[in-house]
Amino acid sequence: MEKVKIRVALAGNPNVGKSTVFNQLTGLNQHTGNWPGKTVEKKVGYVEKDHYILEITDLPGIYSLTANTLEELISREFIVKEKPDIVILIVDASALERNLYLLLQLRELIPNIIIGLNMLDILKAKRYKLDVKKLEERLNIPIIPMIASRGIGIDELINKVIEVYEKDKLDPTKIDYGELEEDINKIESILPENLEDYPKRWIALKLLESDPIITDLCKKKLKKEDWEKIKELIEKNESNPIRVATARYNFIKKILEGVLEKPEKQAISWTEKLDEYFTHPVWGSFLAILIVALIFYLTFTLNNFLAEPVKNVLDFMGDKLSSLLVFLPNWWRDLLIEGVWQGIATILSFTPLITFFFFFLALLEDSGYLARLAFVSDRLMHILGLHGKSLIPLVISFGCNVPGVMATRTLEDEKDRILLIILDSFIPCVPRILVASFFLSIFFPKQAFFLLILLYLISFISIFISGKILRTKVLKTSFNPLLMELPIYKIPNPKLVLLYIWDKIKHFLVRAGTVMAFLSAIIWILSHYPTGDIQNSILAEISRFFSLFMKPLGFNWELTTGLLSGFVAKEATLSTLSAIYGVSGSELGKILLENITPIAAFSFIVFQLLYIPCASTVATIYQETKSIKWTLFSMGYSLMYAYVFTFILHQILSIIGIL
């Protein structure tokens, strides 16, 4: 028997546990992408029950359906255009007044709504009393009591979706807008049928609320005389948006009378007690630095513990693969092993590091502390020309720029997000530091530590300079104030943490792995064709051409070749130089000392720190922005900035002769 698909939209305010409900419902049976043409994340998951398949789309967290933000526009367009069979609205049981405001707007778009009444444990902790049965009767909408973080109410929610689908249509209580009803009815009578699939009453309300998109739509689609009539009704009272909101809140107040009872003396929650320290101007900053430093320490310590075993396993797999492909001609076998496999192995070698980063990030997010971290770091980020929520993506990028770019999804504003994605590549990832450390240990063994600190300082200076330039000259945007609701603290759910990690690692391996395999193969071919000798290869000839432009920086063609291969993977710079000179390790160091001046060496370190990020990061930038323009711009800008910065540095060092 063929299964019947039920299309479900999952909606709700931010911080009501909507993502928790989605993950509890769908588990591993979900995929993540972006909404078509948008940078906002789209999650779709599936639940099978009896002969039904529930296709659940997780809509962005929103407070209303007025198109003030991209998230609000996406949510309402999905409901109107895609016409889901049912909308599940997740609400915070302890903040019903605010949450029900979104319900009333959804009610005007679609009748089939189910309320997931979440966070009943918080309601109890606040000593609120709620008559769920009476609330359900007054709204005439099914309500499922839930504590999603513990999985309570999930099965009941699935069963209710199927029950509502089989009933076909609900009839929720209609809101009465009082004295506004006359104007609403008049506007409805003027509007044509099926105007972009929006319900007429909903359009009338949006016009009274001065919704810019609906207003523009009506101006374009309506006859001039009809629009003038509506315009006259709208402009008759400038306070219409306030009147609409007031009517809704009055309706909510009436609904909750005798349903919700709050104690005269509010109980002080442990969230409020903890926030006295975690959001304190002084203690909050100190604790934030301590927590971020601890994450750094644990991540790199754990990664170092696994680095050698992972390397041994990958080497073993490479040897086994080589022996399995013994039937192939040498050239093809070397291409697959030294080219394709090495690219894949490089990505796999970073998987433990990225896994630990995402593990700690999941703990921060699921516990509720991530929002506090953004809050207390907002002032520091503004100094660097960034939004308060930029801290975590930047921190993650110290391990690898790929998950750092992926983590920019925590920013709601598209321009802020694009800015952070571009600046993210200036953070020195582990492979860049490995290359820098190798050169510093050879050329400046006594000053290596202090010069390494200087490199990090150069990175932050570059973020500061570029942030100012790009914000004012390219993106032309000012700072959006950090307005955010701080979620309650809770103990992270192990299942949800693992799902979060799996989702991020899966996307990292697919995106970065495919690009690395392809480009590693291309670089291998270019470095071995036509003679098999890298010094006489196509790659060497390309490098000799580009070295003409790199001479002002003090780079020879060998260093230029290292930079070209470094585009595939930064650590490939050292292996390429080893192949060119025919030596490795300390022997490579001796040859570099003979062929490169200390000033040229330090200039090279700075340039490779700042220039185009690796191919995996570039691929991720495209996946996240869905824009070739911004992807090419990020590559071009970082290359241009690195060249100009290094050129100036090289000239200054040459003049004063410090190194």
Side-chain angles (χ1 to χ4, degrees):
M1 182 179 177
E2 187 176 349
K3 290 186 178 288
V4 178
K5 182 190 284 188
I6 305 176
R7 299 175 68 250
V8 180
L10 193 64
N13 290 176
N15 301 318
V16 296
K18 182 169 62 64
S19 294
T20 302
V21 173
F22 178 78
N23 288 326
Q24 291 279 22
L25 283 169
T26 60
L28 292 174
N29 197 14
Q30 58 179 258
H31 63 264
T32 307
N34 282 3
W35 291 88
K38 307 289 191 301
T39 58
V40 177
E41 187 176 70
K42 178 183 182 181
K43 286 186 177 181
V44 179
Y46 300 88
V47 181
E48 291 194 29
K49 172 80 173 179
D50 300 331
H51 61 282
Y52 291 103
I53 295 180
L54 280 62
E55 181 186 77
I56 302 174
T57 301
D58 186 16
L59 299 179
I62 54 173
Y63 291 104
S64 77
L65 290 175
T66 300
N68 292 323
T69 67
L70 182 59
E71 288 78 9
E72 291 174 351
L73 182 60
I74 286 171
S75 296
R76 83 181 193 190
E77 288 297 299
F78 180 83
I79 293 170
V80 172
K81 305 294 182 186
E82 300 298 325
K83 294 182 170 56
D85 299 303
I86 294 165
V87 172
I88 297 174
L89 177 66
I90 305 300
V91 304
D92 178 355
S94 64
L96 277 176
E97 295 92 337
R98 186 194 66 223
N99 283 241
L100 291 181
Y101 191 84
L102 179 58
L103 170 69
L104 300 186
Q105 295 178 76
L106 284 170
R107 161 65 187 87
E108 288 151 2
L109 271 183
I110 186 170
N112 285 358
I113 301 172
I114 298 171
I115 294 176
L117 190 66
N118 196 24
M119 300 185 179
L120 288 175
D121 51 339
I122 307 302
L123 184 87
K124 186 178 179 181
K126 287 185 174 183
R127 299 175 190 166
Y128 289 6
K129 292 181 181 178
L130 177 66
D131 190 331
V132 178
K133 187 175 174 62
K134 188 179 288 187
L135 178 63
E136 188 175 53
E137 289 172 355
R138 289 189 179 180
L139 291 171
N140 201 23
I141 292 175
I143 296 177
I144 304 298
M146 303 180 72
I147 305 177
S149 59
R150 300 182 201 166
I152 297 173
I154 298 297
D155 291 338
E156 292 81 354
L157 189 62
I158 294 170
N159 293 332
K160 184 58 70 174
V161 167
I162 294 170
E163 181 186 325
V164 170
Y165 179 80
E166 290 174 342
K167 282 184 179 178
D168 190 35
K169 187 164 284 191
L170 298 174
D171 186 23
T173 303
K174 181 181 175 182
I175 178 173
D176 184 0
Y177 285 92
E179 58 185 21
L180 275 171
E181 285 292 341
E182 184 179 347
D183 288 341
I184 293 170
N185 293 331
K186 285 179 181 178
I187 294 172
E188 279 190 82
S189 66
I190 300 170
L191 291 170
E193 297 293 335
N194 298 320
L195 184 59
E196 297 287 319
D197 294 326
Y198 291 112
K200 291 169 74 172
R201 181 177 176 83
W202 186 83
I203 292 176
L205 284 164
K206 287 300 160 194
L207 287 171
L208 290 170
E209 288 182 281
S210 301
D211 185 289
I213 291 179
I214 296 300
T215 301
D216 289 342
L217 175 68
C218 291
K219 281 181 184 178
K220 292 174 184 176
K221 298 288 185 179
L222 268 60
K223 294 177 184 177
K224 189 176 180 180
E225 57 271 23
D226 288 342
W227 171 245
E228 289 299 325
K229 291 178 185 175
I230 291 176
K231 187 179 176 183
E232 186 180 341
L233 287 167
I234 296 171
E235 293 179 350
K236 183 173 66 176
N237 194 325
E238 293 181 357
S239 63
N240 278 331
I242 297 172
R243 295 167 75 201
V244 171
T246 301
R248 285 175 179 151
Y249 279 116
N250 286 339
F251 179 82
I252 292 169
K253 186 179 178 181
K254 187 176 179 181
I255 286 288
L256 294 179
E257 279 181 9
V259 171
L260 179 65
E261 184 182 329
K262 297 180 182 180
E264 290 184 12
K265 188 177 181 180
Q266 297 286 326
I268 299 174
S269 67
W270 65 306
T271 289
E272 292 168 318
K273 292 176 182 176
L274 287 174
D275 274 345
E276 289 181 10
Y277 299 97
F278 283 122
T279 62
H280 190 274
V282 177
W283 288 110
S285 299
F286 173 76
L287 290 169
I289 293 170
L290 187 65
I291 289 169
V292 170
L294 182 62
I295 288 174
F296 256 96
Y297 174 77
L298 291 174
T299 297
F300 286 106
T301 301
L302 292 170
N303 181 68
N304 290 337
F305 181 74
L306 290 178
E308 194 63 29
V310 169
K311 180 181 180 300
N312 293 336
V313 170
L314 293 174
D315 288 344
F316 175 78
M317 292 173 67
D319 292 340
K320 284 294 181 183
L321 189 59
S322 182
S323 62
L324 288 173
L325 299 176
V326 71
F327 62 91
L328 292 175
N330 288 341
W331 193 89
W332 283 102
R333 188 170 72 250
D334 290 344
L335 168 62
L336 291 174
I337 300 301
E338 297 175 13
V340 176
W341 168 249
Q342 282 304 315
I344 295 172
T346 299
I347 288 298
L348 292 175
S349 68
F350 285 112
T351 302
L353 179 73
I354 292 166
T355 301
F356 290 131
F357 258 120
F358 277 125
F359 169 72
F360 290 118
L361 184 62
L363 292 183
L364 292 180
E365 186 171 338
D366 205 36
S367 66
Y369 180 71
L370 189 61
R372 274 84 181 173
L373 194 57
F375 177 79
V376 298
S377 64
D378 188 52
R379 186 176 299 175
L380 172 62
M381 290 296 102
H382 275 212
I383 293 172
L384 293 175
L386 295 170
H387 191 279
K389 292 186 178 180
S390 302
L391 181 66
I392 288 298
L394 292 180
V395 169
I396 292 172
S397 292
F398 281 102
C400 176
N401 290 157
V402 171
V405 171
M406 293 167 63
T408 60
R409 291 184 175 191
T410 56
L411 275 71
E412 293 84 6
D413 185 84
E414 189 170 359
K415 288 186 177 180
D416 282 336
R417 188 163 178 250
I418 289 171
L419 175 64
L420 182 56
I421 285 173
I422 296 170
L423 299 183
D424 201 71
S425 62
F426 289 124
I427 292 290
C429 59
V430 171
R432 284 173 169 171
I433 294 301
L434 289 175
V435 175
S437 298
F438 178 80
F439 273 81
L440 290 174
S441 65
I442 293 167
F443 286 90
F444 318 102
K446 293 181 179 179
Q447 301 87 12
F449 176 76
F450 298 102
L451 290 177
L452 190 61
I453 298 298
L454 179 60
L455 291 179
Y456 281 104
L457 184 60
I458 287 172
S459 171
F460 284 107
I461 289 171
S462 299
I463 289 174
F464 173 77
I465 294 171
S466 299
K468 297 295 183 184
I469 293 172
L470 295 174
R471 186 175 285 280
T472 55
K473 303 297 183 184
V474 179
L475 291 162
K476 296 180 180 177
T477 179
S478 57
F479 282 114
N480 290 317
L482 183 60
L483 300 174
M484 60 189 306
E485 181 185 353
L486 298 178
I488 60 165
Y489 290 105
K490 61 180 186 291
I491 297 171
N493 184 304
K495 175 186 174 182
L496 300 181
V497 168
L498 291 174
L499 282 172
Y500 180 91
I501 296 170
W502 165 247
D503 181 61
K504 299 301 180 186
I505 294 299
K506 178 179 66 176
H507 281 82
F508 167 71
L509 292 175
V510 171
R511 292 175 183 178
T514 51
V515 172
M516 280 291 289
F518 174 74
L519 287 180
S520 293
I522 296 297
I523 290 293
W524 188 91
I525 292 170
L526 292 176
S527 63
H528 286 75
Y529 188 83
T531 63
D533 177 13
I534 192 171
Q535 294 202 30
N536 298 304
S537 66
I538 294 175
L539 182 63
E541 290 302 315
I542 294 171
S543 299
R544 288 187 178 99
F545 170 75
F546 280 113
S547 66
L548 298 174
F549 301 97
M550 307 304 283
K551 273 187 178 179
L553 309 183
F555 303 168
N556 56 21
W557 76 267
E558 291 92 344
L559 288 180
T560 305
T561 307
L563 291 171
L564 286 175
S565 62
F567 171 62
V568 176
K570 298 304 176 187
E571 65 274 20
T573 300
L574 296 179
S575 59
T576 300
L577 290 172
S578 294
I580 291 173
Y581 290 113
V583 292
S584 60
S586 60
E587 292 300 315
L588 175 61
K590 290 177 183 178
I591 291 180
L592 289 174
L593 278 169
E594 293 171 3
N595 289 272
I596 305 168
T597 66
I599 292 175
F602 190 73
S603 298
F604 176 79
I605 294 169
V606 172
F607 187 85
Q608 74 92 28
L609 183 83
L610 300 174
Y611 86 120
I612 301 173
C614 69
S616 303
T617 303
V618 171
T620 306
I621 289 172
Y622 175 72
Q623 289 288 338
E624 292 299 310
T625 62
K626 296 298 180 185
S627 168
I628 292 177
K629 180 188 79 171
W630 285 118
T631 304
L632 293 176
F633 179 84
S634 67
M635 294 171 66
Y637 178 80
S638 60
L639 181 61
M640 180 183 68
Y641 180 88
Y643 190 94
V644 171
F645 189 97
T646 308
F647 175 79
I648 295 171
L649 177 70
H650 185 78
Q651 298 308 310
I652 292 172
L653 293 176
S654 298
I655 292 169
I656 63 177
I658 248 179
L659 298 176

